[in-house]
Amino acid sequence: MKFTWIVICSLLLLNSMNGISQDKRLRDYGVKPGILTPGTYNAITDVEGVKVGHTTLIKENHIRTGVTAIIPHEDNIFFEKVPAAVYIGNGFGKLAGSTQIEELGNLETPIILTNTLSVSAGIDGLIAHALNNDPEGHVRSVNAVVGETNDGFLNDIRGQHVTKMDVLSAIEKATHGYVVEGNVGAGTGTICFGYKGGIGTSSRVIPKGAGGYTVGVLVQSNFGGVLTINGVNMVGKLSGLNSPVSKYSSSDGSCMIVVATDAPLSPRNLNRLAKRAMLGLAKTGGIASNGSGDYVIAFSTYRDNRIPHNSTVPVQSLQDLRNDEMSPLFLAVIEATEEAILNSMIAARSMTGQRGSIEALPMEEVMLILKENGLIEQDKK
């Protein structure tokens, strides 16, 4: 009987250490960064048509990885492409398909996020997805877009456990609305500022007088620097975080940032929007260090700007906001990126993997520090 209880307790502990997510997000703690209002779900899926799906691989004591798929719209994206742009904050990484986006200014597949050594599986999955959705056999080339971060501390990355079927599963499971965050999908084995990182998302809605557009952001956080929450430097204040370089994580790492908007933007203005996402990363204390792959992919879902794969019209017009109208969108993407990164950490739970354990962000300590600095709404009596 004693042995049985030991086994049960061990399983409960393992489940706690490897759980997908905590119960709360940043705003549930009364922390509301920025001045703009989030959308209904405070997620990238607040941009109409956008869906997100995950495949999470947590097996035995060494597999901690997965796939996250971002779908721009519900129609066939290969035949109805969307304007897109890529901005490289620091290029120590692998973003498959980026050169064609830069050259042609459009996106023709879902965006897949996974680990560094599974980019090829992501490409295989996207190619299969495009072919499977082309019963008439028109597809001869497809620009698969796959981003990555390295989860090799918690995950047996050399085992290349992600498969083409895992990628297709993430696409198939993609939904609108609520997005699961934390230790899920491509964020299953990631580390951020020495604590457990993961998938995080957030959104902002521009006031109607400025267009009423929505900007949504999803991140795969796996980087370091000087953790800053709502303007407060946490280094030296949180237990286990006495310097910018912790025991388990240097300032090197990576962050994949995906930005979606329903604003009518050209690839040129999407590139300008993508650049500002890096300011949101900086507000959390990220420094885009030498070994960090920090990439932003931005796309617009504005229906009239879709780009047909085949057309008899030789000239296509894209509606594009005037430059003077872009500033509210810049503010929105900065705020949403900052909050998405913090949500990725707050949602994540402590995890044990191949090379050891990574603790979750200690939110009780964070709350005390923020309250001491007057940066949190007090509980109402």
mmCIF file with all atom_site columns, all heavy atoms in Angstrom, residues 43-45 49-54 67-72 170-180 184 199 201 218:
data_model
loop_
_atom_site.group_PDB
_atom_site.id
_atom_site.type_symbol
_atom_site.label_atom_id
_atom_site.label_alt_id
_atom_site.label_comp_id
_atom_site.label_asym_id
_atom_site.label_entity_id
_atom_site.label_seq_id
_atom_site.pdbx_PDB_ins_code
_atom_site.Cartn_x
_atom_site.Cartn_y
_atom_site.Cartn_z
_atom_site.occupancy
_atom_site.B_iso_or_equiv
_atom_site.pdbx_formal_charge
_atom_site.auth_seq_id
_atom_site.auth_comp_id
_atom_site.auth_asym_id
_atom_site.auth_atom_id
_atom_site.pdbx_PDB_model_num
ATOM 1   N N   . ALA A 1 43  ? -6.107  37.750 -27.906 1.00 0.00 ? 43  ALA A N   1
ATOM 2   C CA  . ALA A 1 43  ? -5.315  36.738 -28.615 1.00 0.00 ? 43  ALA A CA  1
ATOM 3   C C   . ALA A 1 43  ? -5.228  37.089 -30.090 1.00 0.00 ? 43  ALA A C   1
ATOM 4   O O   . ALA A 1 43  ? -6.010  37.906 -30.605 1.00 0.00 ? 43  ALA A O   1
ATOM 5   C CB  . ALA A 1 43  ? -5.944  35.355 -28.450 1.00 0.00 ? 43  ALA A CB  1
ATOM 6   N N   . ILE A 1 44  ? -4.298  36.463 -30.770 1.00 0.00 ? 44  ILE A N   1
ATOM 7   C CA  . ILE A 1 44  ? -4.143  36.690 -32.208 1.00 0.00 ? 44  ILE A CA  1
ATOM 8   C C   . ILE A 1 44  ? -5.409  36.308 -32.961 1.00 0.00 ? 44  ILE A C   1
ATOM 9   O O   . ILE A 1 44  ? -5.697  36.835 -34.043 1.00 0.00 ? 44  ILE A O   1
ATOM 10  C CB  . ILE A 1 44  ? -2.919  35.899 -32.742 1.00 0.00 ? 44  ILE A CB  1
ATOM 11  C CG1 . ILE A 1 44  ? -2.538  36.388 -34.154 1.00 0.00 ? 44  ILE A CG1 1
ATOM 12  C CG2 . ILE A 1 44  ? -3.169  34.404 -32.700 1.00 0.00 ? 44  ILE A CG2 1
ATOM 13  C CD1 . ILE A 1 44  ? -1.225  35.802 -34.643 1.00 0.00 ? 44  ILE A CD1 1
ATOM 14  N N   . THR A 1 45  ? -6.212  35.422 -32.378 1.00 0.00 ? 45  THR A N   1
ATOM 15  C CA  . THR A 1 45  ? -7.457  34.999 -33.017 1.00 0.00 ? 45  THR A CA  1
ATOM 16  C C   . THR A 1 45  ? -8.544  36.069 -32.950 1.00 0.00 ? 45  THR A C   1
ATOM 17  O O   . THR A 1 45  ? -9.638  35.865 -33.506 1.00 0.00 ? 45  THR A O   1
ATOM 18  C CB  . THR A 1 45  ? -7.970  33.704 -32.362 1.00 0.00 ? 45  THR A CB  1
ATOM 19  O OG1 . THR A 1 45  ? -7.985  33.886 -30.939 1.00 0.00 ? 45  THR A OG1 1
ATOM 20  C CG2 . THR A 1 45  ? -7.084  32.526 -32.713 1.00 0.00 ? 45  THR A CG2 1
ATOM 21  N N   . GLY A 1 49  ? -10.847 35.557 -38.770 1.00 0.00 ? 49  GLY A N   1
ATOM 22  C CA  . GLY A 1 49  ? -10.389 34.513 -39.670 1.00 0.00 ? 49  GLY A CA  1
ATOM 23  C C   . GLY A 1 49  ? -9.191  33.736 -39.184 1.00 0.00 ? 49  GLY A C   1
ATOM 24  O O   . GLY A 1 49  ? -8.956  32.607 -39.629 1.00 0.00 ? 49  GLY A O   1
ATOM 25  N N   . VAL A 1 50  ? -8.407  34.303 -38.277 1.00 0.00 ? 50  VAL A N   1
ATOM 26  C CA  . VAL A 1 50  ? -7.170  33.658 -37.831 1.00 0.00 ? 50  VAL A CA  1
ATOM 27  C C   . VAL A 1 50  ? -7.479  32.509 -36.868 1.00 0.00 ? 50  VAL A C   1
ATOM 28  O O   . VAL A 1 50  ? -8.309  32.638 -35.960 1.00 0.00 ? 50  VAL A O   1
ATOM 29  C CB  . VAL A 1 50  ? -6.224  34.669 -37.162 1.00 0.00 ? 50  VAL A CB  1
ATOM 30  C CG1 . VAL A 1 50  ? -4.979  33.969 -36.609 1.00 0.00 ? 50  VAL A CG1 1
ATOM 31  C CG2 . VAL A 1 50  ? -5.820  35.758 -38.151 1.00 0.00 ? 50  VAL A CG2 1
ATOM 32  N N   . LYS A 1 51  ? -6.794  31.382 -37.069 1.00 0.00 ? 51  LYS A N   1
ATOM 33  C CA  . LYS A 1 51  ? -6.936  30.218 -36.198 1.00 0.00 ? 51  LYS A CA  1
ATOM 34  C C   . LYS A 1 51  ? -5.556  29.768 -35.707 1.00 0.00 ? 51  LYS A C   1
ATOM 35  O O   . LYS A 1 51  ? -4.553  29.996 -36.375 1.00 0.00 ? 51  LYS A O   1
ATOM 36  C CB  . LYS A 1 51  ? -7.607  29.063 -36.944 1.00 0.00 ? 51  LYS A CB  1
ATOM 37  C CG  . LYS A 1 51  ? -9.007  29.346 -37.440 1.00 0.00 ? 51  LYS A CG  1
ATOM 38  C CD  . LYS A 1 51  ? -9.727  28.091 -37.897 1.00 0.00 ? 51  LYS A CD  1
ATOM 39  C CE  . LYS A 1 51  ? -9.101  27.472 -39.119 1.00 0.00 ? 51  LYS A CE  1
ATOM 40  N NZ  . LYS A 1 51  ? -9.868  26.299 -39.621 1.00 0.00 ? 51  LYS A NZ  1
ATOM 41  N N   . VAL A 1 52  ? -5.550  29.109 -34.555 1.00 0.00 ? 52  VAL A N   1
ATOM 42  C CA  . VAL A 1 52  ? -4.307  28.583 -33.969 1.00 0.00 ? 52  VAL A CA  1
ATOM 43  C C   . VAL A 1 52  ? -4.547  27.144 -33.516 1.00 0.00 ? 52  VAL A C   1
ATOM 44  O O   . VAL A 1 52  ? -5.580  26.836 -32.915 1.00 0.00 ? 52  VAL A O   1
ATOM 45  C CB  . VAL A 1 52  ? -3.835  29.432 -32.774 1.00 0.00 ? 52  VAL A CB  1
ATOM 46  C CG1 . VAL A 1 52  ? -2.622  28.776 -32.092 1.00 0.00 ? 52  VAL A CG1 1
ATOM 47  C CG2 . VAL A 1 52  ? -3.487  30.847 -33.218 1.00 0.00 ? 52  VAL A CG2 1
ATOM 48  N N   . GLY A 1 53  ? -3.567  26.277 -33.811 1.00 0.00 ? 53  GLY A N   1
ATOM 49  C CA  . GLY A 1 53  ? -3.640  24.893 -33.361 1.00 0.00 ? 53  GLY A CA  1
ATOM 50  C C   . GLY A 1 53  ? -2.298  24.411 -32.844 1.00 0.00 ? 53  GLY A C   1
ATOM 51  O O   . GLY A 1 53  ? -1.246  24.927 -33.242 1.00 0.00 ? 53  GLY A O   1
ATOM 52  N N   . HIS A 1 54  ? -2.332  23.438 -31.942 1.00 0.00 ? 54  HIS A N   1
ATOM 53  C CA  . HIS A 1 54  ? -1.099  22.906 -31.348 1.00 0.00 ? 54  HIS A CA  1
ATOM 54  C C   . HIS A 1 54  ? -1.059  21.389 -31.430 1.00 0.00 ? 54  HIS A C   1
ATOM 55  O O   . HIS A 1 54  ? -2.088  20.715 -31.350 1.00 0.00 ? 54  HIS A O   1
ATOM 56  C CB  . HIS A 1 54  ? -1.007  23.263 -29.857 1.00 0.00 ? 54  HIS A CB  1
ATOM 57  C CG  . HIS A 1 54  ? -1.078  24.708 -29.528 1.00 0.00 ? 54  HIS A CG  1
ATOM 58  N ND1 . HIS A 1 54  ? -0.106  25.610 -29.885 1.00 0.00 ? 54  HIS A ND1 1
ATOM 59  C CD2 . HIS A 1 54  ? -2.021  25.423 -28.843 1.00 0.00 ? 54  HIS A CD2 1
ATOM 60  C CE1 . HIS A 1 54  ? -0.437  26.820 -29.437 1.00 0.00 ? 54  HIS A CE1 1
ATOM 61  N NE2 . HIS A 1 54  ? -1.591  26.713 -28.813 1.00 0.00 ? 54  HIS A NE2 1
ATOM 62  N N   . VAL A 1 67  ? 4.428   21.466 -31.975 1.00 0.00 ? 67  VAL A N   1
ATOM 63  C CA  . VAL A 1 67  ? 4.162   22.262 -33.174 1.00 0.00 ? 67  VAL A CA  1
ATOM 64  C C   . VAL A 1 67  ? 3.024   23.231 -32.872 1.00 0.00 ? 67  VAL A C   1
ATOM 65  O O   . VAL A 1 67  ? 2.031   22.845 -32.242 1.00 0.00 ? 67  VAL A O   1
ATOM 66  C CB  . VAL A 1 67  ? 3.747   21.366 -34.358 1.00 0.00 ? 67  VAL A CB  1
ATOM 67  C CG1 . VAL A 1 67  ? 3.433   22.211 -35.587 1.00 0.00 ? 67  VAL A CG1 1
ATOM 68  C CG2 . VAL A 1 67  ? 4.819   20.332 -34.667 1.00 0.00 ? 67  VAL A CG2 1
ATOM 69  N N   . THR A 1 68  ? 3.170   24.459 -33.332 1.00 0.00 ? 68  THR A N   1
ATOM 70  C CA  . THR A 1 68  ? 2.075   25.428 -33.293 1.00 0.00 ? 68  THR A CA  1
ATOM 71  C C   . THR A 1 68  ? 1.827   25.927 -34.711 1.00 0.00 ? 68  THR A C   1
ATOM 72  O O   . THR A 1 68  ? 2.772   26.289 -35.417 1.00 0.00 ? 68  THR A O   1
ATOM 73  C CB  . THR A 1 68  ? 2.405   26.605 -32.359 1.00 0.00 ? 68  THR A CB  1
ATOM 74  O OG1 . THR A 1 68  ? 2.515   26.123 -31.013 1.00 0.00 ? 68  THR A OG1 1
ATOM 75  C CG2 . THR A 1 68  ? 1.322   27.679 -32.424 1.00 0.00 ? 68  THR A CG2 1
ATOM 76  N N   . ALA A 1 69  ? 0.561   25.915 -35.115 1.00 0.00 ? 69  ALA A N   1
ATOM 77  C CA  . ALA A 1 69  ? 0.175   26.357 -36.454 1.00 0.00 ? 69  ALA A CA  1
ATOM 78  C C   . ALA A 1 69  ? -0.691  27.599 -36.366 1.00 0.00 ? 69  ALA A C   1
ATOM 79  O O   . ALA A 1 69  ? -1.622  27.655 -35.563 1.00 0.00 ? 69  ALA A O   1
ATOM 80  C CB  . ALA A 1 69  ? -0.581  25.242 -37.176 1.00 0.00 ? 69  ALA A CB  1
ATOM 81  N N   . ILE A 1 70  ? -0.369  28.597 -37.193 1.00 0.00 ? 70  ILE A N   1
ATOM 82  C CA  . ILE A 1 70  ? -1.164  29.814 -37.282 1.00 0.00 ? 70  ILE A CA  1
ATOM 83  C C   . ILE A 1 70  ? -1.749  29.875 -38.694 1.00 0.00 ? 70  ILE A C   1
ATOM 84  O O   . ILE A 1 70  ? -1.008  29.887 -39.678 1.00 0.00 ? 70  ILE A O   1
ATOM 85  C CB  . ILE A 1 70  ? -0.324  31.077 -37.001 1.00 0.00 ? 70  ILE A CB  1
ATOM 86  C CG1 . ILE A 1 70  ? 0.301   30.998 -35.592 1.00 0.00 ? 70  ILE A CG1 1
ATOM 87  C CG2 . ILE A 1 70  ? -1.181  32.340 -37.133 1.00 0.00 ? 70  ILE A CG2 1
ATOM 88  C CD1 . ILE A 1 70  ? 1.694   30.437 -35.560 1.00 0.00 ? 70  ILE A CD1 1
ATOM 89  N N   . ILE A 1 71  ? -3.087  29.909 -38.787 1.00 0.00 ? 71  ILE A N   1
ATOM 90  C CA  . ILE A 1 71  ? -3.792  29.883 -40.073 1.00 0.00 ? 71  ILE A CA  1
ATOM 91  C C   . ILE A 1 71  ? -4.370  31.274 -40.329 1.00 0.00 ? 71  ILE A C   1
ATOM 92  O O   . ILE A 1 71  ? -5.207  31.750 -39.559 1.00 0.00 ? 71  ILE A O   1
ATOM 93  C CB  . ILE A 1 71  ? -4.941  28.855 -40.060 1.00 0.00 ? 71  ILE A CB  1
ATOM 94  C CG1 . ILE A 1 71  ? -4.533  27.555 -39.357 1.00 0.00 ? 71  ILE A CG1 1
ATOM 95  C CG2 . ILE A 1 71  ? -5.449  28.613 -41.471 1.00 0.00 ? 71  ILE A CG2 1
ATOM 96  C CD1 . ILE A 1 71  ? -3.488  26.762 -40.038 1.00 0.00 ? 71  ILE A CD1 1
ATOM 97  N N   . PRO A 1 72  ? -3.976  31.961 -41.404 1.00 0.00 ? 72  PRO A N   1
ATOM 98  C CA  . PRO A 1 72  ? -4.443  33.331 -41.643 1.00 0.00 ? 72  PRO A CA  1
ATOM 99  C C   . PRO A 1 72  ? -5.925  33.457 -41.961 1.00 0.00 ? 72  PRO A C   1
ATOM 100 O O   . PRO A 1 72  ? -6.553  34.446 -41.585 1.00 0.00 ? 72  PRO A O   1
ATOM 101 C CB  . PRO A 1 72  ? -3.593  33.803 -42.827 1.00 0.00 ? 72  PRO A CB  1
ATOM 102 C CG  . PRO A 1 72  ? -2.364  32.955 -42.768 1.00 0.00 ? 72  PRO A CG  1
ATOM 103 C CD  . PRO A 1 72  ? -2.861  31.617 -42.300 1.00 0.00 ? 72  PRO A CD  1
ATOM 104 N N   . ALA A 1 170 ? -1.600  19.673 -36.015 1.00 0.00 ? 170 ALA A N   1
ATOM 105 C CA  . ALA A 1 170 ? -1.713  21.029 -35.474 1.00 0.00 ? 170 ALA A CA  1
ATOM 106 C C   . ALA A 1 170 ? -2.579  21.904 -36.377 1.00 0.00 ? 170 ALA A C   1
ATOM 107 O O   . ALA A 1 170 ? -3.402  22.694 -35.906 1.00 0.00 ? 170 ALA A O   1
ATOM 108 C CB  . ALA A 1 170 ? -0.323  21.640 -35.309 1.00 0.00 ? 170 ALA A CB  1
ATOM 109 N N   . ILE A 1 171 ? -2.396  21.752 -37.697 1.00 0.00 ? 171 ILE A N   1
ATOM 110 C CA  . ILE A 1 171 ? -3.210  22.515 -38.651 1.00 0.00 ? 171 ILE A CA  1
ATOM 111 C C   . ILE A 1 171 ? -4.671  22.087 -38.543 1.00 0.00 ? 171 ILE A C   1
ATOM 112 O O   . ILE A 1 171 ? -5.584  22.926 -38.515 1.00 0.00 ? 171 ILE A O   1
ATOM 113 C CB  . ILE A 1 171 ? -2.689  22.307 -40.083 1.00 0.00 ? 171 ILE A CB  1
ATOM 114 C CG1 . ILE A 1 171 ? -1.277  22.885 -40.219 1.00 0.00 ? 171 ILE A CG1 1
ATOM 115 C CG2 . ILE A 1 171 ? -3.632  22.948 -41.101 1.00 0.00 ? 171 ILE A CG2 1
ATOM 116 C CD1 . ILE A 1 171 ? -0.605  22.558 -41.541 1.00 0.00 ? 171 ILE A CD1 1
ATOM 117 N N   . GLU A 1 172 ? -4.900  20.794 -38.466 1.00 0.00 ? 172 GLU A N   1
ATOM 118 C CA  . GLU A 1 172 ? -6.259  20.270 -38.399 1.00 0.00 ? 172 GLU A CA  1
ATOM 119 C C   . GLU A 1 172 ? -6.975  20.722 -37.128 1.00 0.00 ? 172 GLU A C   1
ATOM 120 O O   . GLU A 1 172 ? -8.194  20.981 -37.137 1.00 0.00 ? 172 GLU A O   1
ATOM 121 C CB  . GLU A 1 172 ? -6.219  18.737 -38.454 1.00 0.00 ? 172 GLU A CB  1
ATOM 122 C CG  . GLU A 1 172 ? -7.571  18.058 -38.385 1.00 0.00 ? 172 GLU A CG  1
ATOM 123 C CD  . GLU A 1 172 ? -8.437  18.334 -39.602 1.00 0.00 ? 172 GLU A CD  1
ATOM 124 O OE1 . GLU A 1 172 ? -7.881  18.624 -40.687 1.00 0.00 ? 172 GLU A OE1 1
ATOM 125 O OE2 . GLU A 1 172 ? -9.676  18.247 -39.466 1.00 0.00 ? 172 GLU A OE2 1
ATOM 126 N N   . LYS A 1 173 ? -6.250  20.835 -36.037 1.00 0.00 ? 173 LYS A N   1
ATOM 127 C CA  . LYS A 1 173 ? -6.861  21.189 -34.752 1.00 0.00 ? 173 LYS A CA  1
ATOM 128 C C   . LYS A 1 173 ? -6.995  22.697 -34.546 1.00 0.00 ? 173 LYS A C   1
ATOM 129 O O   . LYS A 1 173 ? -7.523  23.132 -33.520 1.00 0.00 ? 173 LYS A O   1
ATOM 130 C CB  . LYS A 1 173 ? -6.032  20.591 -33.604 1.00 0.00 ? 173 LYS A CB  1
ATOM 131 C CG  . LYS A 1 173 ? -6.128  19.074 -33.510 1.00 0.00 ? 173 LYS A CG  1
ATOM 132 C CD  . LYS A 1 173 ? -5.401  18.535 -32.303 1.00 0.00 ? 173 LYS A CD  1
ATOM 133 C CE  . LYS A 1 173 ? -3.906  18.655 -32.401 1.00 0.00 ? 173 LYS A CE  1
ATOM 134 N NZ  . LYS A 1 173 ? -3.186  17.961 -31.310 1.00 0.00 ? 173 LYS A NZ  1
ATOM 135 N N   . ALA A 1 174 ? -6.533  23.491 -35.501 1.00 0.00 ? 174 ALA A N   1
ATOM 136 C CA  . ALA A 1 174 ? -6.570  24.944 -35.343 1.00 0.00 ? 174 ALA A CA  1
ATOM 137 C C   . ALA A 1 174 ? -8.007  25.446 -35.228 1.00 0.00 ? 174 ALA A C   1
ATOM 138 O O   . ALA A 1 174 ? -8.893  25.018 -35.959 1.00 0.00 ? 174 ALA A O   1
ATOM 139 C CB  . ALA A 1 174 ? -5.869  25.618 -36.521 1.00 0.00 ? 174 ALA A CB  1
ATOM 140 N N   . THR A 1 175 ? -8.224  26.363 -34.292 1.00 0.00 ? 175 THR A N   1
ATOM 141 C CA  . THR A 1 175 ? -9.555  26.901 -34.026 1.00 0.00 ? 175 THR A CA  1
ATOM 142 C C   . THR A 1 175 ? -9.494  28.405 -33.830 1.00 0.00 ? 175 THR A C   1
ATOM 143 O O   . THR A 1 175 ? -8.433  28.985 -33.592 1.00 0.00 ? 175 THR A O   1
ATOM 144 C CB  . THR A 1 175 ? -10.182 26.265 -32.770 1.00 0.00 ? 175 THR A CB  1
ATOM 145 O OG1 . THR A 1 175 ? -9.328  26.534 -31.639 1.00 0.00 ? 175 THR A OG1 1
ATOM 146 C CG2 . THR A 1 175 ? -10.349 24.765 -32.936 1.00 0.00 ? 175 THR A CG2 1
ATOM 147 N N   . HIS A 1 176 ? -10.664 29.027 -33.905 1.00 0.00 ? 176 HIS A N   1
ATOM 148 C CA  . HIS A 1 176 ? -10.810 30.435 -33.565 1.00 0.00 ? 176 HIS A CA  1
ATOM 149 C C   . HIS A 1 176 ? -10.935 30.568 -32.043 1.00 0.00 ? 176 HIS A C   1
ATOM 150 O O   . HIS A 1 176 ? -11.058 29.584 -31.322 1.00 0.00 ? 176 HIS A O   1
ATOM 151 C CB  . HIS A 1 176 ? -12.049 31.014 -34.232 1.00 0.00 ? 176 HIS A CB  1
ATOM 152 C CG  . HIS A 1 176 ? -12.067 30.870 -35.721 1.00 0.00 ? 176 HIS A CG  1
ATOM 153 N ND1 . HIS A 1 176 ? -11.204 31.537 -36.551 1.00 0.00 ? 176 HIS A ND1 1
ATOM 154 C CD2 . HIS A 1 176 ? -12.866 30.124 -36.539 1.00 0.00 ? 176 HIS A CD2 1
ATOM 155 C CE1 . HIS A 1 176 ? -11.461 31.222 -37.805 1.00 0.00 ? 176 HIS A CE1 1
ATOM 156 N NE2 . HIS A 1 176 ? -12.451 30.354 -37.826 1.00 0.00 ? 176 HIS A NE2 1
ATOM 157 N N   . GLY A 1 177 ? -10.932 31.799 -31.572 1.00 0.00 ? 177 GLY A N   1
ATOM 158 C CA  . GLY A 1 177 ? -11.243 32.041 -30.164 1.00 0.00 ? 177 GLY A CA  1
ATOM 159 C C   . GLY A 1 177 ? -10.088 31.797 -29.225 1.00 0.00 ? 177 GLY A C   1
ATOM 160 O O   . GLY A 1 177 ? -8.943  32.170 -29.488 1.00 0.00 ? 177 GLY A O   1
ATOM 161 N N   . TYR A 1 178 ? -10.383 31.133 -28.106 1.00 0.00 ? 178 TYR A N   1
ATOM 162 C CA  . TYR A 1 178 ? -9.415  30.930 -27.037 1.00 0.00 ? 178 TYR A CA  1
ATOM 163 C C   . TYR A 1 178 ? -8.182  30.185 -27.540 1.00 0.00 ? 178 TYR A C   1
ATOM 164 O O   . TYR A 1 178 ? -8.292  29.197 -28.268 1.00 0.00 ? 178 TYR A O   1
ATOM 165 C CB  . TYR A 1 178 ? -10.076 30.144 -25.906 1.00 0.00 ? 178 TYR A CB  1
ATOM 166 C CG  . TYR A 1 178 ? -9.147  29.753 -24.789 1.00 0.00 ? 178 TYR A CG  1
ATOM 167 C CD1 . TYR A 1 178 ? -8.671  30.693 -23.883 1.00 0.00 ? 178 TYR A CD1 1
ATOM 168 C CD2 . TYR A 1 178 ? -8.739  28.431 -24.646 1.00 0.00 ? 178 TYR A CD2 1
ATOM 169 C CE1 . TYR A 1 178 ? -7.813  30.317 -22.854 1.00 0.00 ? 178 TYR A CE1 1
ATOM 170 C CE2 . TYR A 1 178 ? -7.890  28.052 -23.624 1.00 0.00 ? 178 TYR A CE2 1
ATOM 171 C CZ  . TYR A 1 178 ? -7.435  29.006 -22.731 1.00 0.00 ? 178 TYR A CZ  1
ATOM 172 O OH  . TYR A 1 178 ? -6.578  28.633 -21.723 1.00 0.00 ? 178 TYR A OH  1
ATOM 173 N N   . VAL A 1 179 ? -7.004  30.647 -27.120 1.00 0.00 ? 179 VAL A N   1
ATOM 174 C CA  . VAL A 1 179 ? -5.729  30.026 -27.494 1.00 0.00 ? 179 VAL A CA  1
ATOM 175 C C   . VAL A 1 179 ? -5.052  29.499 -26.224 1.00 0.00 ? 179 VAL A C   1
ATOM 176 O O   . VAL A 1 179 ? -4.828  30.250 -25.278 1.00 0.00 ? 179 VAL A O   1
ATOM 177 C CB  . VAL A 1 179 ? -4.792  31.030 -28.197 1.00 0.00 ? 179 VAL A CB  1
ATOM 178 C CG1 . VAL A 1 179 ? -3.432  30.383 -28.496 1.00 0.00 ? 179 VAL A CG1 1
ATOM 179 C CG2 . VAL A 1 179 ? -5.426  31.546 -29.489 1.00 0.00 ? 179 VAL A CG2 1
ATOM 180 N N   . VAL A 1 180 ? -4.741  28.218 -26.219 1.00 0.00 ? 180 VAL A N   1
ATOM 181 C CA  . VAL A 1 180 ? -4.006  27.640 -25.089 1.00 0.00 ? 180 VAL A CA  1
ATOM 182 C C   . VAL A 1 180 ? -2.581  28.176 -25.113 1.00 0.00 ? 180 VAL A C   1
ATOM 183 O O   . VAL A 1 180 ? -1.938  28.245 -26.163 1.00 0.00 ? 180 VAL A O   1
ATOM 184 C CB  . VAL A 1 180 ? -4.006  26.106 -25.160 1.00 0.00 ? 180 VAL A CB  1
ATOM 185 C CG1 . VAL A 1 180 ? -3.268  25.509 -23.959 1.00 0.00 ? 180 VAL A CG1 1
ATOM 186 C CG2 . VAL A 1 180 ? -5.433  25.575 -25.220 1.00 0.00 ? 180 VAL A CG2 1
ATOM 187 N N   . VAL A 1 184 ? 2.849   24.371 -24.380 1.00 0.00 ? 184 VAL A N   1
ATOM 188 C CA  . VAL A 1 184 ? 1.989   23.765 -25.381 1.00 0.00 ? 184 VAL A CA  1
ATOM 189 C C   . VAL A 1 184 ? 2.603   23.980 -26.757 1.00 0.00 ? 184 VAL A C   1
ATOM 190 O O   . VAL A 1 184 ? 3.303   24.969 -26.998 1.00 0.00 ? 184 VAL A O   1
ATOM 191 C CB  . VAL A 1 184 ? 0.569   24.380 -25.306 1.00 0.00 ? 184 VAL A CB  1
ATOM 192 C CG1 . VAL A 1 184 ? 0.583   25.839 -25.668 1.00 0.00 ? 184 VAL A CG1 1
ATOM 193 C CG2 . VAL A 1 184 ? -0.418  23.624 -26.171 1.00 0.00 ? 184 VAL A CG2 1
ATOM 194 N N   . ILE A 1 199 ? 4.270   29.351 -25.366 1.00 0.00 ? 199 ILE A N   1
ATOM 195 C CA  . ILE A 1 199 ? 3.444   30.081 -26.319 1.00 0.00 ? 199 ILE A CA  1
ATOM 196 C C   . ILE A 1 199 ? 2.629   31.119 -25.563 1.00 0.00 ? 199 ILE A C   1
ATOM 197 O O   . ILE A 1 199 ? 2.056   30.836 -24.509 1.00 0.00 ? 199 ILE A O   1
ATOM 198 C CB  . ILE A 1 199 ? 2.488   29.127 -27.069 1.00 0.00 ? 199 ILE A CB  1
ATOM 199 C CG1 . ILE A 1 199 ? 3.271   28.148 -27.941 1.00 0.00 ? 199 ILE A CG1 1
ATOM 200 C CG2 . ILE A 1 199 ? 1.485   29.919 -27.914 1.00 0.00 ? 199 ILE A CG2 1
ATOM 201 C CD1 . ILE A 1 199 ? 4.037   28.798 -29.085 1.00 0.00 ? 199 ILE A CD1 1
ATOM 202 N N   . THR A 1 201 ? 0.052   34.883 -26.266 1.00 0.00 ? 201 THR A N   1
ATOM 203 C CA  . THR A 1 201 ? -0.635  35.687 -27.263 1.00 0.00 ? 201 THR A CA  1
ATOM 204 C C   . THR A 1 201 ? -1.333  36.872 -26.607 1.00 0.00 ? 201 THR A C   1
ATOM 205 O O   . THR A 1 201 ? -1.583  36.880 -25.397 1.00 0.00 ? 201 THR A O   1
ATOM 206 C CB  . THR A 1 201 ? -1.649  34.821 -28.047 1.00 0.00 ? 201 THR A CB  1
ATOM 207 O OG1 . THR A 1 201 ? -2.166  35.563 -29.148 1.00 0.00 ? 201 THR A OG1 1
ATOM 208 C CG2 . THR A 1 201 ? -2.789  34.353 -27.161 1.00 0.00 ? 201 THR A CG2 1
ATOM 209 N N   . LEU A 1 218 ? 1.205   36.464 -31.584 1.00 0.00 ? 218 LEU A N   1
ATOM 210 C CA  . LEU A 1 218 ? 1.502   35.193 -30.926 1.00 0.00 ? 218 LEU A CA  1
ATOM 211 C C   . LEU A 1 218 ? 3.014   35.018 -30.899 1.00 0.00 ? 218 LEU A C   1
ATOM 212 O O   . LEU A 1 218 ? 3.688   35.289 -31.902 1.00 0.00 ? 218 LEU A O   1
ATOM 213 C CB  . LEU A 1 218 ? 0.851   34.026 -31.661 1.00 0.00 ? 218 LEU A CB  1
ATOM 214 C CG  . LEU A 1 218 ? 1.073   32.637 -31.023 1.00 0.00 ? 218 LEU A CG  1
ATOM 215 C CD1 . LEU A 1 218 ? -0.200  31.792 -31.124 1.00 0.00 ? 218 LEU A CD1 1
ATOM 216 C CD2 . LEU A 1 218 ? 2.246   31.897 -31.662 1.00 0.00 ? 218 LEU A CD2 1
#
